[in-house]
Amino acid sequence: MLTARGSDQRSDIRPVQSRARLLGAWWGPALGLSALGLITSVEAERTATREIFFNVAQPWAVYVFTASLVGLLIYGFGRHATLWAIGQPTPNLRDEVSQRLRNAVRLGLAQEKIGRDRYAAVMHWCIFSSIVVLTFVTAQVAIDDDFSLHFLRGPYYLFFSFYGDLFGLVGLVGVGMALYRRYIDNLHRIHWDERLEDHLIIWGLGLILLTGFAVESLRITVDELVQHPDWARWSFVSFGVAHFLALFEFEEPQLLSAHVWMWWGHLVLAMGWLGLIVFTKLDHMFFAPINAFLLRTDSPGRLTKIENIEEREVFGVGQIQDFTWKQLFELDACVSCGRCTAVCPANIAGQPLSPMHLIQDLKLHLADVGPAIQHAGHEGHDVRAVSPLAMVGEVIKDETLWACRTCGACVQECPVLIEHVPTIVDMRRYLVMDEARVPATAQAALENLEQRGHPWRGATLTRTSWMEGLGEVPIFDGSQEYLYWVGCAGSLVERNLPVTQSVFRLLREAGASFGVLGQEETCSGDPARRLGNEYLYQILAGQLVETFKAKNVQRVITNCPHCFNTFKNEYPQFGGRFEVLHHTEFLAKSLQQGDLKPQYPIAEQVTYHDSCYLGRMNGVYEAPRQIIEFLPGAKVTEMQRSMSRGLCCGAGGGNMWLEEVGARRVNHVRAEEAMQTGAQSVISNCPFCIQMFEDGIPAVQPQEEGRMRVFDVAELLDRAVFGTDGAGRGSQSS
Amino acid sequence: MHLVVCAKQIPDPETPPSAFKIDTVANAVVPVPGISPVLSPFDAQAAEAALRIKEKVGESKVTVISLGKESAQAAIKQVLAMGADEGVLLNDDAFEGGDSYTTAHALAAAIKKLGDVDAVICGRQAADWDMGQVGLGIAEELGWPGAIVAKDVQAADGALLVQRVLLDGFETVRMPLPAVITVSNELGDPRYPKLQQIMQAAKKTVTTWTAADLGLDAASVGKAGSRLRLERLAQPEAGGAVQIIEGDTPEAQAQALAQALRDARII
Ligand code: SF4
Ligand code: SF4
């Protein structure tokens, strides 16, 4: 039975509600306290108020500063916008506007992604809410005075004093947490791209809050503390400080001149800090919600289709202006937080890829060559001749692009909703189709796909080899409900044959109406698309959609999460709409309906590895786990990285056919993680993951004795249903 | 420089052994359904060698010639996609059933018809029959010098510097032009075609010549002209057996293993 599953992973399943609650919980007490303040303050002096520009002679300066700030912001963003405009049109932006608005609120304003790091979530909310509330506080002061509205009086003034102080304090807590993280705790990822701005922003904010309190306290020391201590109490922080200051018995002129200095200091700091928005990553306060609006609304497992590929002059992205403007906009939204790089399997294994640096390098390149490209476009010159550097090859190295597993871990974590995978694959497309610069092993796989319809060079099995000893295997003829799609790995790679056979036996046992294509199967094209050969993919996918239609295929069960993903999310781009199930989904359902009865014990400690294309890309986390729950006696220990945080096995994104460069191999890292659970076997759902573990485990555990074993979920279920000696497995028909 | 690449389409050498069948009555290989023929890998290397020269020497042209059926268009297109300029298919029923000699005869006639050829580059052998005769056959027919099994071919003012693979090393020979060269796999991987070129290649038309176009007498080509007679075609029996070597100590096991290998006349 399923046991040691941490609450952490549980909350992963329903991230939306629980995170929202966590963050919502924060506003609750704050607003509650404020409301309490409001009610009680009604009873207080109705005349309570203060002189707005108390003691300060040149309040006009505020307006000069504000006007220049607004001017600066407009100029700064205008300049950015001219750079984004060199990009290509962004498709589908007008679709699903309501979903986009929801994303902007949920992911942009409510900052749901930040919640994946709890400390950061609290810290960021403290800072964010205090900036929002204190800006609002300052605005009220200005309006009160300028429009002579004088609403800052009576109970509301007291309430206003209260929440102003409260959120000042909250802001200080946030700043304190940030300082702790940066200088004391030394969290690795935030130092990977550390710049002067990181220090300026946080120290600046701290100083603004402190000078704010200082101004307030000095004013209270001079006037309210003497005249209206019952009003002053509402500014509870400054009230306390004022009491402390009073102990020193400063002369009033001393206090007043200190107040003026502090006031100016506060103003200059605040305006200067806000000006940083234009020059630093503080711009994310606008860009992140906008980028959340621009975020794709379809599956992250889908890559864009290059329409009318035969008429293109450039295939994929070779120069910065080949990106869509959304992809360029995204670059400016990056805050160098390092979350993406911290979870990147290639980076973890010491391979030459860091998604954060990739985004930052592109951003820098855009700033470098963007203006000249924009100018050249304007003058009608050749924009492709502008950049002195080849973006693909020099700014971003070939090996960086090849190291990506398209695992989506970076996209999953990015708090400002950057989509690295399409950006990386777009550059790969250029590498493969325009430049034909392909590592030899990947080239062999692609040529094999072209010539033989499968990526496995040197395969000695045929597409029917797995059928041996299974009795009659029904061939799909349109009369059955499901097509069981075995896939190239499931039929041509020795290790995966038992998995295919297990799934087949279980489908038959469950009484499913299904058939297979046998010799007629070809490749789904997925490896070609991930490796960047979109042209080849379109040919393979187009042919297969036709085959499926001709055979009247409506529902497909796949062995392989990669076929599953491309059938489900990408074939609709070619007019192929089928119901697609991964075998674990079908088998979980069969178990629940009682069509399969596991009876033989699998007394084993197991751990479960989420494949990226079933898990992160398609959200199927539960079905395989449910199957394991049905295995009599099996005990699951989850790995530290699991579910949406699962680490790729190393084979994704065509890396099955690439030589790894770097300190370690990803499958060794993941094999170690699996072994750390102490489980006897690791279970997965993907032929690639299984091959990677079969390779990786012996490498990190050379001793054969007690070595961890690797199974597909279906193989274990097969054992539980039919027994190890295969008693019940024999063919039912012959 | 005008270079000619000879390319042959062959049954896929990666056909799974279990699917490979021979018709012992007709003495012929049975084509496996669903497995398409491919360009012989050595010929892809010949194309690579020619294209490398083309890139270095200005105003060069590469023509690819294949003798085969209509399906061999695919092999020609593949070389065109790699960067060759023109393609010629020698397709005639009269060419069927020939041997290395008749193939060389027909290819040489086509090269003569092209006229201004400076060098012919072939793969060291076709990966189906592995005869390795056609290259030198063409040289003989044309009366040109020939060099075989090259790992590198460079143009050097009016000649070719050819680095040949020998059993115990390499030798570099200077070939006056025109010449015939066959290249080996040591040359390196053939290039992956750019999509732009694939699409251009798809649009190119391949010239087809028959025996008559080449002025060849039907009796001198194909089966009629063939000097080689196929007696019997058979598939080697593949099998395996396991013998577990016993022994109490590793030394004893090693000794028993050595003895077993000696008994089997392996060492
Ligand atoms: S998709 Fe995966 S491998 Fe690629 S950059 Fe992102 S985290 Fe790294
Ligand atoms: S891309 Fe996203 S996750 Fe990565 S550093 Fe930038 S903001 Fe952080």
Side-chain angles (χ1 to χ4, degrees), chain A residues 77-148:
Chain A
F77 291 141
R79 243 190 34 181
H80 272 301
T82 57
L83 292 188
W84 303 327
I86 67 171
Q88 306 302 310
T90 306
N92 307 331
L93 268 188
R94 262 164 294 191
D95 298 350
E96 314 245 17
V97 173
S98 61
Q99 171 69 34
R100 289 177 185 282
L101 288 172
R102 247 175 294 144
N103 282 348
V105 172
R106 200 165 61 90
L107 301 168
L109 298 177
Q111 304 152 19
E112 203 177 283
K113 293 263 181 182
I114 303 180
R116 294 176 70 84
D117 171 347
R118 299 240 164 124
Y119 186 96
V122 175
M123 175 189 94
H124 194 267
W125 267 85
C126 286
I127 292 176
F128 169 77
S129 56
S130 94
I131 292 174
V132 171
V133 172
L134 295 179
T135 308
F136 182 58
V137 162
T138 312
Q140 288 180 73
V141 171
I143 293 168
D144 186 85
D145 182 64
D146 288 343
F147 301 100
S148 305

Side-chain angles (χ1 to χ4, degrees), chain A residues 340-341 343-347 353-355 403-411 420-421 424 616-617 648:
Chain A
C340 51
T341 295
V343 297
C344 172
N347 196 273
L353 163 63
S354 156
C404 177
R405 270 59 181 189
T406 68
C407 73
C410 48
V411 181
H420 314 66
V421 175
I424 291 173
R616 246 187 319 267
M617 294 298 186
C648 174

Side-chain angles (χ1 to χ4, degrees), chain A residues 669-700:
Chain A
V669 176
R670 189 55 169 167
E672 266 170 16
E673 295 188 351
M675 280 157 50
Q676 271 157 18
T677 60
Q680 292 152 291
S681 33
V682 52
I683 305 181
S684 189
N685 52 55
C686 168
F688 297 141
C689 298
I690 289 178
Q691 287 178 65
M692 290 319 256
F693 277 115
E694 289 286 5
D695 246 34
I697 294 172
V700 289

Side-chain angles (χ1 to χ4, degrees), chain A residues 451-452 454 461-462 519, chain B residues 10-16 19-20 31-38:
Chain A
Q451 285 172 4
R452 307 181 177 99
H454 67 77
L461 298 171
T462 71
Q519 208 56 265
Chain B
I10 60 167
D12 190 350
E14 289 207 11
T15 305
F20 185 78
V32 187
I35 298 189
S36 324
V38 300

